[in-house]
Amino acid sequence: MDCGYTEHSYRHLGIVANRTEEILTKLGYDEHIIQLGKIAGYMHDLGNCVNRYDHAHSGAIIAYNILKEMGMPVQDRTEIMMAIGNHDEDTGTAISDISAALILADKSDVHRDRVAKTNMTTFDIHDKVNYAVTDSDLIIDSENRTVTLDLIIDTKMCPVLDYFEIFMKRTMMSKYAAKYLNIWFELIINDTKLL
């Protein structure tokens, strides 16, 4: 079913969960925090089943209640709830190590595989930009304390400037999330370092 948004299913959730885990692991967090981050990654978009608008907040409440019913300790489910509730660029910010890692992981998943529409004549700017990204890699360098989003954009599909038109808030959110983790965020597009 085409709901008009980018893909938010198992593919996206798996990438976000695994990248959250990778960030926390490479930065030396303990196994407990890493597992909480991975759970937050898998659950972060639950709120989309209610509505795209304000999905971070509704998803945080849904996740909290699911984890409560499963018997998770209150401190752990609260950490996950806070991370999920703060992952959206319109209403959230990094407020914990888990939330910062989740933000970086979520905002790094830009790729043509996320485009749900199959008819290119119906693409809006979000579809065009995502579809133009043919390669996306998140590189965590613990030694140099950097996290790099490395993208290849097919400029025949859309100009690089279109990326910034729709992703500037996400880019700035990623920069601040990295700062929260005491690392530096870098953005490379088509082998050119932009941040």
Side-chain angles (χ1 to χ4, degrees):
M1 183 170 116
D2 178 8
C3 62
Y5 297 113
T6 51
E7 178 268 334
H8 285 83
S9 64
Y10 294 117
R11 180 208 156 274
H12 175 64
L13 301 179
I15 287 171
V16 173
N18 290 331
R19 286 183 179 173
T20 302
E21 176 185 34
E22 182 182 9
I23 292 165
L24 294 170
T25 300
K26 288 193 174 177
L27 294 179
Y29 288 87
D30 68 51
E31 189 60 32
H32 184 71
I33 294 295
I34 293 166
Q35 288 306 310
L36 293 180
K38 195 166 186 178
I39 293 166
Y42 274 120
M43 300 182 86
H44 81 281
D45 273 337
L46 269 174
N48 282 309
C49 69
V50 176
N51 195 318
R52 176 75 183 136
Y53 178 76
D54 210 20
H55 77 282
H57 299 142
S58 55
I61 294 165
I62 293 167
Y64 183 89
N65 285 314
I66 289 170
L67 296 171
K68 181 179 179 182
E69 286 180 24
M70 294 176 71
M72 180 180 275
V74 67
Q75 299 91 338
D76 291 347
R77 65 181 184 256
T78 300
E79 282 285 340
I80 293 168
M81 176 187 68
M82 290 188 313
I84 293 171
N86 278 283
H87 85 274
D88 186 69
E89 64 272 10
D90 289 327
T91 58
T93 190
I95 59 164
S96 69
D97 299 337
I98 294 170
S99 70
L102 175 62
I103 288 165
L104 287 165
D106 182 45
K107 304 313 168 202
S108 71
D109 187 21
V110 183
H111 196 271
R112 67 176 35 183
D113 290 343
R114 295 209 62 199
V115 178
K117 295 176 184 172
T118 56
N119 184 348
M120 292 175 74
T121 63
T122 64
F123 281 9
D124 64 12
I125 190 170
H126 293 86
D127 300 318
K128 285 179 186 173
V129 170
N130 276 286
Y131 195 80
V133 178
T134 59
D135 194 28
S136 171
D137 197 15
L138 188 68
I139 305 155
I140 301 99
D141 182 343
S142 54
E143 186 176 325
N144 293 309
R145 304 292 296 173
T146 61
V147 58
T148 304
L149 178 56
D150 189 355
L151 303 174
I152 300 297
I153 296 179
D154 179 353
T155 55
K156 291 182 200 119
M157 177 62 74
C158 79
V160 170
L161 192 57
D162 284 2
Y163 173 87
F164 287 104
E165 184 179 339
I166 64 167
F167 285 108
M168 184 54 83
K169 279 167 76 172
R170 297 175 197 183
T171 301
M172 296 310 295
M173 188 181 206
S174 296
K175 179 181 173 184
Y176 294 125
K179 187 176 181 181
Y180 190 96
L181 293 170
N182 197 28
I183 57 177
W184 189 255
F185 177 74
E186 297 178 342
L187 176 63
I188 297 173
I189 298 179
N190 295 349
D191 299 320
T192 301
K193 184 176 173 183
L194 301 170
L195 278 179

